[in-house]
Amino acid sequence: MNEAWYESFAPPPTARPPRAWLDSDAPRLPLDGHWRFRYAERADGPLDFTRPAFDDAGWDRLPVPAHWQLHGYGAPAYTNIAYPFPLDAPRVPDENPTGDYRHTFRLPEGWPGGPALLRFAGADSAALVWLNGVELGRAGGSRLTTEFDVTDALRPDGDNLIAVRVVQWSAGSYVEDQDMWWLSGIFRGVDLLARPEGGIGDVEVSAGYDHLTGAGTLAVAADVPARVRVPELGVDAAAGETLRLPAVEPWSAESPRLYDATVSTGAETVTLRIGFRTVRIDGGVLTVNGRPVLFRGVNRHEFHPDRGRAVTEEDMLDDVRLMKQHNINAVRTSHYPPHPRFLELCDEYGLYVVDECDLETHGFWQVGWRGNPADDPRWEAALVDRMRRTVERDKNHPSVVLWSLGNESGSGRNLAAMARWARHRDPSRPLLYERDWTCRDVDVYSRMYLPVAEVEAIGRGEEAPLPDPALDARRRGMPFIHVEYAHAMGNGPGGLAEYQRLYETYPRLQGGFVWEWIDHGLRARTPDGREYFAYGGDFGEVLHDGNFVADGLLFPDRTPSPGLLDLKKVFEPVRIAPSGDGGLTIHNGHIHSGVSKLDFRWVLEDGGEAVARGALEVGDVPPGESVRVDLPALPATAGEAHLTVRAVLAADEPWAKAGHEVAATQLPVSTTPPLAAAAPRPAGAVPLPATVPPAGGATRAGVPTATSAAVRRDGGRVRLGPGLLDERTGRLVRLGDWAVDGPRLQVWRAPTDNDRAPHGEALEPLWRAAGLDRLTHRLDGVSVTGDGAVVRVRVAPASSDGGLLTTYTWRILAGDRLGLVVEIDPDGRLPGPLPMLGVRFALPGELDQVEWFGRGPGEAYPDTGLATRVGRWFRTVADLQTPYLFPQENGRRADVRWATVTGGRGGGVRVDGRTPFGLTVRPWTAEALDRAAHPTDLAPDGRTWLTLDAGHNGIGSASCGPGVLPPYLLAPAPTHLELTLQAL
Ligand code: GAL
């Protein structure tokens, strides 16, 4: 056997023992910058470059930290589960992209002599390191820190040369099969650390909080005799002592109180930020400082569209601030320890962290788990080493409340060994590992992508039993965390509210972590220079998983998606709701804090126009409690009115400015009490309140005034007041001065990722098999009535006897308006649910601006759009489109009462609904959207496509997980849409 240095089961033998990532006053020399770089397709090139005398003048330069694939060497590749190489551990292919690095540095003035360490914070996937020609050893564990002792190799004067060979594939790749881009290189920083004689090697902080007495316990241990000082608490004690501090302020994600501390010897001072908090499982409930915690979490990969996993401090800060702004209180570091700075930010800004070990072996599932490293004793030392390096590096962060052994690695003895090690080393934090459903080795029951009904069963303690009664009893006593749910791929996820309701109902359910935080689309350009975000397959990969890499709540450029806005709404820590007796209930869902940091403001809108506003006196509300407040005295309104009550930050917080909205509720107030919250509902399902004003000041569609004189047959056309109907097609060709083409029944929608559902219950194949993407329209007749016309069309696919009988009834109304009643009746067998049911019109492309009164400003489908509110909104047609990385149905506005599409030379078209309708306006058709692979494939076709729907199928989360919940399914059933059209 010809095993290479990177093909070993064993952990790196010459690295220093792991320790905490410390902020020390000992000199540190960051070595980041532009290093000399040479790329090769194989890993067995000559090693002469490691000699200082080697001439690298011909080499390129590559930034450190960075991934070489994002700088023109090799190419990114994406697979979810599959390994992109044959399974034959620990061997890897001869084709093994390799980067040789060289970097010369000098010690700065005043650098002390004596011991020094060279620290790599992350090199993917394995590195062999030399200093001044001396081999230091290898680094493995891509997202784990490796330190080498360089005391003897370092030159105090003159040039020092670091030489590093990094290989893309190593034995470590078998245990790093996370669902993400395969990207290589030194992607986190490299530092030289002076280690003064008598300095501090490691520090361990234990800072607990007794919620009954308000006291803190503090034990700061160091590997050498040292003094611990916490000036604010008057602490000045020997390291190793356990101190009881009668009164401390606890740390929580809501109030991330930190105390500055130092640990000093004569030779070195380490600075710490201490948070007092106690994590415990009490009676089957996970508590922080004695209170049950509810995780409103997300799974976060490190990602930037240009830098990959080589994220900067600014990127991390953006993530933390965006999470806080969207009511997220917890992060699972899927599926590896993040850059250490990220955890410092979580401590400081307040986020609970599930810190996950760098471990995933999911691709062994494809071979029936044969040879799974999680269960093969040859891997035990390497896996325990990974856990050890995770825990030792991150042990001092108050934000880290749970350790996770890793992700999707099946089950096996090595996981048990990791758990044993972690439990013994750090009994203060519970352990989690999702994939072993027996929970044999862990303290928390966790699962991913469970349907709502199954989560509810777990909440009630009624889950299906395990075969082993002892394990079953143990698991039944555990808290439950939905470690991944609500797959945020493309349009969606739908159904967030249903999960949250359960988490807030059953004490055993302690919330979960939405999959995932950010789309991993890599910035790319078309040949003509237009920017888009690339996904799997865009780099010519033989094996890939397409756009499954783009399943985040943020677009790759960190623009929040509609899904993140929905999540913010669902995660509201304060709920404002009608009290049922004409007032409001304010419920404080915080666990540790009151609501004194929030101001409550209200605004009254009449027909979408603000007519009155004010502040609401709420006073403080203790955590977990509710108060009732009176509604403000409201002025009389003439039209459909809504009261919106918002809870906003009273003062600036580190993560948002004063005025930032934390929670809000909208109530219709034109109806008589009791009030009902304006909950999202399928469009068209509920009639408008009787107080809706006549559209445009004229008579509404339901009570028309006919003007029969205006109906006239004229050479194949029917003149219908302001409209002209083509008798050959049955479609309107003019409305006022505008050339139009419609209505045409619209059933197809460009399948969403959730309709396509690569890992779930896919509707798209059923829809295509039924021919819903190729419906034909046959005109059965146009009859002229006294005050309008009736057009009958049968819409059906080839090779099927099922179809939809569609009747369009036109009536001329007063005020140059046209009433249109669309009746859709299933005829024969049709698959259910249908994608959507509506009608579409082509309008001139110059009409490129839309105003509407309905829910907005964002898109909404039956089970999404929770963040939207009824109002009067305006957008350009371009801005109505949501640029999902893989083009799909998007941009629908829900519960629209009326809309105008205007522009160009002035004027346009107005549509009013007898009941609220769905509105979609695009510069291309649904069919074009369906054909596109990237947003850059879409070009405006010169027309504005206006779609008015009576309903859409829900969105669900079947791209990975459960499909659409029953109330949101669009069954084929007789459907009715009543509209008024008017040229402006
Ligand atoms: C999970 C896995 C994640 C991701 C997700 C789908 O099974 O843990 O890493 O692959 O599915 O996007």
Side-chain angles (χ1 to χ4, degrees):
M1 287 269 265
N2 212 3
E3 278 178 17
W5 60 269
Y6 46 81
E7 293 177 314
S8 168
F9 290 111
T14 55
R16 301 280 306 146
R19 62 193 188 113
W21 184 275
L22 297 173
D23 178 6
S24 154
D25 67 349
R28 174 175 77 96
L29 180 64
L31 297 173
D32 300 348
H34 281 79
W35 291 24
R36 288 288 186 180
F37 181 74
R38 177 180 67 183
Y39 178 74
E41 299 288 350
R42 298 172 57 98
D44 54 1
L47 290 173
D48 49 356
F49 77 99
T50 63
R51 285 186 287 107
F54 180 86
D55 180 7
D56 61 14
W59 286 26
D60 301 340
R61 288 183 190 275
L62 183 79
V64 167
H67 297 287
W68 65 62
Q69 288 90 347
L70 302 183
H71 290 264
Y73 306 95
Y78 166 61
T79 57
N80 167 15
I81 298 170
Y83 287 96
F85 48 79
L87 296 193
D88 185 21
R91 307 298 308 279
V92 298
D94 293 344
E95 293 80 35
N96 191 357
T98 297
D100 290 337
Y101 294 75
R102 298 183 96 245
H103 181 63
T104 304
F105 65 93
R106 283 169 178 247
L107 294 180
E109 206 59 38
W111 185 271
L117 296 177
L118 183 62
R119 178 175 72 187
F120 287 80
D124 194 331
S125 75
L128 198 54
V129 185
W130 293 261
L131 182 64
N132 299 324
V134 177
E135 184 176 318
L136 302 176
R138 76 182 151 89
S142 297
R143 271 69 58 174
L144 297 166
T145 304
T146 306
E147 289 180 321
F148 298 106
D149 188 336
V150 291
T151 312
D152 296 334
L154 193 65
R155 289 196 189 129
D157 305 304
D159 284 348
N160 281 283
L161 173 86
I162 299 186
V164 188
R165 169 162 288 176
V166 181
V167 291
Q168 170 149 24
W169 308 124
S170 67
S173 306
Y174 285 94
V175 293
E176 295 178 5
D177 186 30
Q178 291 95 342
D179 174 6
M180 61 192 191
W181 293 103
W182 295 96
L183 291 172
S184 325
I186 305 172
F187 75 100
R188 286 186 191 156
V190 182
D191 291 293
L192 183 72
L193 307 174
R195 300 302 314 126
E197 296 290 357
I200 301 163
D202 199 7
V203 170
E204 184 186 350
V205 179
S206 312
Y209 179 73
D210 181 341
H211 65 283
L212 298 175
T213 62
T217 32
L218 180 65
V220 180
D223 62 337
V224 289
R227 291 275 334 146
V228 178
R229 295 191 181 87
V230 190
E232 236 188 306
L233 294 170
V235 170
D236 185 345
E241 272 182 46
T242 300
L243 307 172
R244 196 179 137 76
L245 305 164
V248 298
E249 290 176 46
W251 182 97
S252 71
E254 291 165 18
S255 290
R257 176 68 157 101
L258 295 172
Y259 290 89
D260 290 324
T262 55
V263 183
S264 315
T265 65
E268 182 177 17
T269 294
V270 160
T271 304
L272 300 167
R273 307 206 70 198
I274 294 177
F276 292 90
R277 59 110 190 85
T278 293
V279 182
R280 200 168 278 148
I281 297 179
D282 258 337
V285 175
L286 183 75
T287 61
V288 173
N289 299 335
R291 305 247 176 120
V293 65
L294 187 65
F295 294 119
R296 302 181 175 97
V298 291
N299 281 279
R300 173 183 180 266
H301 267 285
E302 296 182 312
F303 189 74
H304 184 276
D306 302 313
R307 296 186 278 276
R309 289 186 289 278
V311 291
T312 62
E313 167 142 9
E314 205 42 50
D315 301 333
M316 297 182 230
L317 204 50
D318 283 348
D319 282 352
V320 167
R321 286 200 196 112
L322 280 163
M323 286 177 189
K324 294 290 290 184
Q325 287 165 10
H326 291 88
N327 294 334
I328 289 161
N329 74 353
V331 199
R332 173 176 177 236
T333 69
S334 52
H335 302 298
Y336 42 81
H339 190 288
R341 180 68 187 137
F342 180 74
L343 296 178
E344 293 173 358
L345 294 172
C346 293
D347 293 343
E348 191 178 321
Y349 284 78
L351 287 165
Y352 298 114
V353 176
V354 175
D355 194 352
E356 190 149 275
C357 184
D358 193 354
L359 173 66
E360 176 160 342
T361 67
H362 203 176
F364 281 86
W365 166 71
Q366 294 183 321
V367 296
W369 293 111
R370 270 193 313 282
N372 181 15
D375 198 34
D376 178 337
R378 291 174 301 171
W379 285 96
E380 178 176 331
L383 267 49
V384 172
D385 175 68
R386 282 173 181 258
M387 194 65 206
R388 180 172 171 215
R389 286 157 74 192
T390 302
V391 171
E392 294 296 355
R393 194 197 73 170
D394 296 343
K395 58 185 177 255
N396 293 336
H397 292 284
S399 56
V400 175
V401 292
L402 288 154
W403 299 117
S404 164
L405 304 180
N407 187 56
E408 296 190 315
S409 301
S411 55
R413 69 184 82 196
N414 299 336
L415 290 158
M418 292 166 80
R420 263 196 312 277
W421 184 90
R423 202 183 290 293
H424 180 253
R425 176 69 184 88
D426 178 19
S428 78
R429 291 176 178 97
L431 299 179
L432 172 153
Y433 171 64
E434 189 273 341
R435 209 24 57 132
D436 184 356
W437 298 341
T438 68
C439 297
R440 190 186 308 265
D441 303 314
V442 294
D443 307 304
V444 169
Y445 182 27
S446 68
R447 295 286 299 274
M448 48 173 77
Y449 307 109
L450 291 186
V452 164
E454 217 172 322
V455 175
E456 178 146 33
I458 295 172
R460 293 178 187 275
E462 292 168 1
E463 67 271 26
L466 288 168
D468 178 327
L471 284 174
D472 184 61
R474 189 170 165 271
R475 196 181 70 175
R476 249 168 237 289
M478 287 181 175
F480 177 80
I481 296 176
H482 210 179
V483 86
E484 290 181 31
Y485 75 103
H487 197 249
M489 185 179 184
N491 188 336
L496 287 168
E498 284 75 7
Y499 285 113
Q500 193 64 23
R501 186 179 57 75
L502 297 180
Y503 304 154
E504 293 181 15
T505 303
Y506 297 100
R508 186 189 188 190
L509 306 179
Q510 301 207 262
F513 296 80
V514 165
W515 187 268
E516 71 173 306
W517 176 236
I518 184 167
D519 282 343
H520 310 206
L522 290 168
R523 203 187 309 269
R525 288 186 183 278
T526 58
D528 61 350
R530 288 171 302 132
E531 190 178 294
Y532 68 100
F533 292 108
Y535 49 73
D538 285 338
F539 299 96
E541 303 104 291
V542 178
L543 202 63
H544 67 82
D545 288 291
N547 67 316
F548 204 63
V549 77
D551 51 3
L553 295 161
L554 293 178
F555 288 99
D557 62 2
R558 291 190 158 68
T559 308
S561 72
L564 182 57
L565 304 184
D566 277 9
L567 191 66
K568 176 186 175 185
K569 173 76 188 142
V570 165
F571 278 177
E572 284 179 347
V574 171
R575 301 251 181 243
I576 309 164
S579 58
D581 60 359
L584 288 172
T585 302
I586 314 282
H587 174 73
N588 179 9
H590 287 110
I591 295 159
H592 302 283
S593 28
V595 297
S596 59
K597 287 186 168 182
L598 300 175
D599 279 345
F600 291 80
R601 299 182 185 160
W602 60 266
V603 59
L604 178 70
E605 286 171 328
D606 189 357
E609 301 284 356
V611 292
R613 57 179 82 238
L616 209 62
E617 274 317 312
V618 171
D620 204 3
V621 186
E625 295 191 12
S626 303
V627 290
R628 186 201 170 281
V629 293
D630 284 333
L631 277 184
L634 300 176
T637 48
E640 187 188 357
H642 288 92
L643 178 72
T644 303
V645 183
R646 304 161 63 233
V648 302
L649 287 182
D652 289 354
E653 289 287 328
W655 45 271
K657 294 264 172 235
H660 164 84
E661 181 179 304
V662 172
T665 280
Q666 188 179 53
L667 313 167
V669 290
S670 52
T671 49
T672 43
L675 294 167
R681 56 183 184 240
V686 182
L688 288 182
T691 50
V692 173
T699 318
R700 299 185 57 222
V703 278
T705 314
T707 325
S708 55
V711 184
R712 218 171 55 234
R713 273 199 145 108
D714 181 6
R717 305 250 159 132
V718 181
R719 174 151 297 284
L720 285 172
L724 195 60
L725 190 82
D726 183 337
E727 281 200 75
R728 204 175 41 89
T729 61
R731 302 209 289 262
L732 209 64
V733 290
R734 290 205 82 75
L735 182 65
D737 289 340
W738 300 106
V740 302
D741 184 10
R744 188 177 157 86
L745 191 74
Q746 179 78 29
V747 180
W748 188 242
R749 71 180 184 194
T752 64
D753 287 317
N754 290 311
D755 295 334
R756 298 164 72 216
H759 295 275
E761 194 185 299
L763 289 170
E764 181 193 13
L766 304 179
W767 289 345
R768 287 204 199 269
L772 299 183
D773 57 335
R774 49 180 168 79
L775 292 175
T776 60
H777 299 242
R778 183 194 67 209
L779 180 63
D780 284 342
V782 176
S783 47
V784 171
T785 62
D787 57 358
V790 178
V791 178
R792 283 174 299 106
V793 178
R794 188 170 188 279
V795 180
S799 173
S800 163
D801 57 2
L804 293 156
L805 294 175
T806 311
T807 309
Y808 302 100
T809 305
W810 292 98
R811 293 181 84 187
I812 303 166
L813 308 178
D816 257 355
R817 298 177 317 136
L818 274 178
L820 171 63
V821 178
V822 185
E823 284 154 300
I824 308 160
D825 287 300
D827 180 28
R829 280 165 61 94
L830 279 177
L834 296 173
M836 63 167 290
L837 276 177
V839 290
R840 99 177 166 200
F841 290 86
L843 304 179
E846 64 183 279
L847 302 182
D848 58 0
Q849 290 163 31
V850 183
E851 186 177 4
W852 74 100
F853 178 45
R855 275 166 55 203
E859 67 185 29
Y861 292 81
D863 53 351
T864 69
L866 309 167
T868 59
R869 290 176 206 153
V870 176
R872 207 162 149 171
W873 311 102
F874 176 85
R875 288 286 184 280
T876 63
V877 171
D879 287 344
L880 285 172
Q881 317 307 312
T882 311
Y884 293 114
L885 267 59
F886 182 84
Q888 56 194 277
E889 169 63 36
N890 73 84
R892 172 183 186 259
R893 269 56 181 180
D895 288 349
V896 174
R897 283 71 165 157
W898 59 257
T900 65
V901 189
T902 58
R905 54 198 147 98
V909 169
R910 176 178 169 120
V911 185
D912 288 74
R914 168 124 174 85
T915 53
F917 58 92
L919 171 75
T920 312
V921 193
R922 304 194 167 104
W924 40 69
T925 60
E927 291 74 15
L929 196 57
D930 187 7
R931 283 191 300 271
H934 293 98
T936 41
D937 298 340
L938 288 162
D941 63 10
R943 290 195 273 187
T944 293
W945 296 91
L946 168 68
T947 306
L948 311 163
D949 74 71
H952 256 262
N953 197 46
I955 297 294
S957 186
S959 54
C960 184
V964 177
L965 289 168
Y968 308 118
L969 292 170
L970 183 70
T975 300
H976 184 91
L977 186 61
E978 222 172 302
L979 305 164
T980 308
L981 305 182
Q982 185 181 4
L984 300 174

